[in-house]
Amino acid sequence: MIVRRTKIVATLGPASSSPEKIEQLIVAGLDVARLNFSHGSADDHRERAKLVREIAEKHGKYIAIMGDLQGPKIRIARFTSQKVELKEGQPFTLSNQHPSEAGTDKIVGIDYPSLVQDCHPGDELLLDDGRVVLTVDSVEEHAVHTTVTVGGPLSNNKGINRRGGGISAPSLTDKDRDDIRLAAEIEVDYVAVSFPRYGSDIQEARKLVQEAGSKAWIIAKIERAEAVADDHALDAIIKVSDGVMVARGDLGVEVGDARLVGIQKRIIQHARTLNKLVITATQMMESMISSPLPTRAEVSDVANAVLDYTDAVMLSAESASGQYPVEAVTAMARVCLGAEQEPTTTQSQHRLGETFSRCDETIALSAMYAANHFPGIKAIISLTESGHTPLIMSRIRSGVPIYCYTRHPATQRRAALFRGVYTVPFDAAKIDPAKVSDQAIDKLKERGLLHKGDWIILTKGDFYSNSGGTNGMKILKVK
């Protein structure tokens, strides 16, 4: 049986919150359930997390849960008539003193007073993900006066971006701080931080997550132009994160759609080189909100991310509020499997010029070199506490499955996001050391994944309670 290596993140929402729908999503191939804290109540998120855990256990699957913080989404206020039509060439004013419910086609309130400090004449402001474009003419103490350069309909509470970035809003809001405490309460496995500009934004989020009593890993959403201004800025964020998300909505608006694909590829490459996770997100199968089948362009988009070796691809509105959430996960799984049949997805460029900094990294990458050059290897077994060794392994392209053997539920779920890594519950500390290897192999034989004469690679540490302690590798023949 061909096993999919690329993982699927799907957002839960009104269309996918019943026990029946969540079960269908898990059966269809869901690996990570995303809770979008921009929408829904705390009780909604508590209930969805509870259902995911219960149904995953029923099916013997390990599903990670990601809590996605809203961040400082900068928005216009509301219109008297709910919606206006802006015409090219007309004047339009954004004011932080205009009544929030009284917007017209001439002026609208804003919920971010500092916009007047962030804007200068000649700047371009993009509303509603770039569907409406304004050019700044002048700035007063409480208002930004603009001319509409791309017109169209504009409705309540749409987001504002500045072309090229430069919005100074802090990455973490008071709501985010509350949601971090909620994330800790429901024991999410990942916390995604929206709109970080610098590594310090991620470090602050990690401190808050730890103070809340959570061990969740931190995913930095790359969606500001400043974050991709150059390799130094990008790497500074990646290095202090556990993984990154290519959040193509706001990022595409700020950098322009023409540059987005190249930047996406650069983010994936840098994340993998720095041994971090990477998720590709936003509009991957957008048409499936209202259609049971994806377009050819969407199929190509997902497949290209897979060929670039992203860890996961993500569904947003397609699974949260669309008409075909299960079909979207099914289609995404099918496309991932198809792309993974290409030989390039298993052909590695090993890091022959690199010097390793850790013992477990040295063992992990040595194991991958052996697996990719010894044709008899059918599986890699990594006995791990934190999951760090299989994470490092999965940074190298390979067709050999990596099995994360761990006793810790948090690590079992966390590994659901690692490309080509599959969880096997296993407590080596309770087994006679002389029998650990045989019992580890037996686990895969019982599942029909190994047969007599196959070779496997097994990595472990001298002590099974030490995180980062992997210091040994064996190549074993299945009896």
Side-chain angles (χ1 to χ4, degrees):
M1 182 182 73
I2 299 173
V3 180
R4 173 171 46 83
R5 299 192 292 276
T6 310
K7 304 305 178 74
I8 294 174
V9 183
T11 307
L12 301 185
S16 52
S17 290
S18 69
E20 296 77 19
K21 274 287 188 266
I22 289 174
E23 183 162 32
Q24 289 171 9
L25 291 173
I26 289 173
V27 170
L30 173 70
D31 297 294
V32 181
R34 172 178 175 253
L35 307 178
N36 185 359
F37 291 147
S38 297
H39 305 284
S41 68
D43 284 341
D44 289 336
H45 298 309
R46 288 187 186 98
E47 180 63 18
R48 288 165 186 163
K50 176 170 164 287
L51 285 171
V52 168
R53 297 250 159 88
E54 289 174 351
I55 296 167
E57 184 176 6
K58 170 185 165 185
H59 286 272
K61 298 201 173 213
Y62 298 90
I63 307 293
I65 294 177
M66 177 187 297
D68 196 328
L69 304 179
Q70 177 174 297
K73 191 75 173 178
I74 298 158
R75 300 177 185 275
I76 61 171
R78 302 174 66 82
F79 295 100
T80 305
S81 57
Q82 311 303 314
K83 185 177 183 179
V84 298
E85 185 78 26
L86 298 185
K87 294 184 169 54
E88 182 180 339
Q90 76 165 76
F92 189 67
T93 296
L94 306 170
S95 167
N96 58 26
Q97 286 194 330
H98 193 74
S100 62
E101 301 286 333
T104 69
D105 62 355
K106 303 287 190 298
I107 186 169
V108 71
I110 47 176
D111 62 2
Y112 175 60
S114 297
L115 186 68
V116 294
Q117 280 92 50
D118 292 340
C119 287
H120 305 89
D123 286 351
E124 274 192 319
L125 298 179
L126 303 106
L127 279 58
D128 192 13
D129 286 341
R131 293 178 179 88
V132 172
V133 181
L134 313 174
T135 298
V136 177
D137 298 321
S138 63
V139 180
E140 295 180 352
E141 185 180 358
H142 298 292
V144 179
H145 301 289
T146 75
T147 297
V148 178
T149 50
V150 177
L154 186 63
S155 54
N156 295 337
N157 303 122
K158 293 302 182 185
I160 306 171
N161 295 84
R162 178 177 175 269
R163 179 87 74 191
I167 298 292
S168 61
S171 179
L172 293 165
T173 66
D174 289 342
K175 173 176 165 47
D176 294 333
R177 294 167 196 275
D178 290 339
D179 287 336
I180 284 172
R181 288 188 282 272
L182 172 63
E185 177 198 329
I186 60 182
E187 297 183 350
V188 304
D189 304 291
Y190 293 94
V191 170
V193 179
S194 296
F195 301 102
R197 287 180 295 165
Y198 313 110
S200 56
D201 294 331
I202 301 301
Q203 290 168 323
E204 182 187 359
R206 190 181 298 280
K207 180 170 173 284
L208 292 170
V209 166
Q210 291 172 345
E211 286 175 353
S214 172
K215 294 181 179 178
W217 282 19
I218 309 296
I219 302 293
K221 294 170 69 178
I222 307 296
E223 49 194 339
R224 276 183 159 165
E226 295 94 321
V228 294
D230 53 44
D231 287 350
H232 177 75
L234 176 60
D235 290 350
I237 291 178
I238 294 174
K239 285 175 180 176
V240 296
S241 311
D242 298 301
V244 295
M245 181 190 295
V246 190
R248 304 182 305 179
D250 286 282
L251 180 62
V253 170
E254 293 210 354
V255 303
D257 55 7
R259 291 195 60 212
L260 183 60
V261 174
I263 289 172
Q264 171 179 314
K265 289 175 179 288
R266 176 154 55 99
I267 294 169
I268 293 172
Q269 179 195 352
H270 280 235
R272 296 191 61 80
T273 300
L274 293 169
N275 296 328
K276 306 293 178 156
L277 297 164
V278 57
I279 303 162
T280 305
T282 317
Q283 295 181 331
M284 298 212 83
M285 291 195 161
E286 182 90 347
S287 73
M288 291 195 72
I289 293 172
S290 56
S291 167
L293 290 171
T295 66
R296 291 288 182 268
E298 289 164 343
V299 168
S300 179
D301 182 32
V302 172
N304 264 307
V306 172
L307 293 170
D308 287 338
Y309 229 67
T310 190
D311 283 276
V313 286
M314 192 176 105
L315 296 166
S316 299
E318 301 97 330
S319 58
S321 56
Q323 297 175 36
Y324 301 97
V326 177
E327 290 84 350
V329 171
T330 302
M332 196 165 250
R334 182 175 69 246
V335 174
C336 290
L337 272 170
E340 288 167 2
Q341 303 314 301
E342 282 300 301
T344 55
T345 65
T346 59
Q347 292 170 356
S348 165
Q349 293 180 329
H350 285 283
R351 304 174 185 186
L352 299 179
E354 281 194 25
T355 301
F356 304 141
S357 59
R358 294 174 49 150
C359 178
D360 53 355
E361 181 186 8
T362 306
I363 294 297
L365 296 175
S366 299
M368 297 311 296
Y369 191 85
N372 282 348
H373 290 81
F374 185 8
I377 301 292
K378 293 294 189 292
I380 300 163
I381 295 173
S382 174
L383 274 53
T384 181
E385 290 287 297
S386 67
H388 190 259
T389 299
L391 169 67
I392 301 290
M393 290 175 174
S394 67
R395 303 306 85 191
I396 296 292
R397 293 179 181 242
S398 178
V400 180
I402 301 162
Y403 294 96
C404 172
Y405 277 51
T406 182
R407 58 184 174 152
H408 299 293
T411 305
Q412 291 165 2
R413 297 191 302 266
R414 185 183 296 143
L417 188 50
F418 304 175
R419 179 167 176 143
V421 176
Y422 313 95
T423 291
V424 176
F426 191 80
D427 190 350
K430 292 184 177 177
I431 301 170
D432 179 345
K435 297 179 180 177
V436 166
S437 297
D438 285 342
Q439 291 200 22
I441 289 171
D442 287 345
K443 285 275 189 181
L444 296 187
K445 286 171 68 179
E446 290 164 8
R447 301 179 182 202
L449 299 171
L450 287 178
H451 303 92
K452 179 182 175 183
D454 290 342
W455 291 90
I456 66 106
I457 292 173
L458 184 143
T459 65
K460 65 184 186 67
D462 289 336
F463 304 99
Y464 299 118
S465 58
N466 291 357
S467 180
T470 297
N471 62 1
M473 177 182 102
K474 293 181 178 179
I475 299 178
L476 302 168
K477 195 169 189 177
V478 178
K479 299 173 185 176

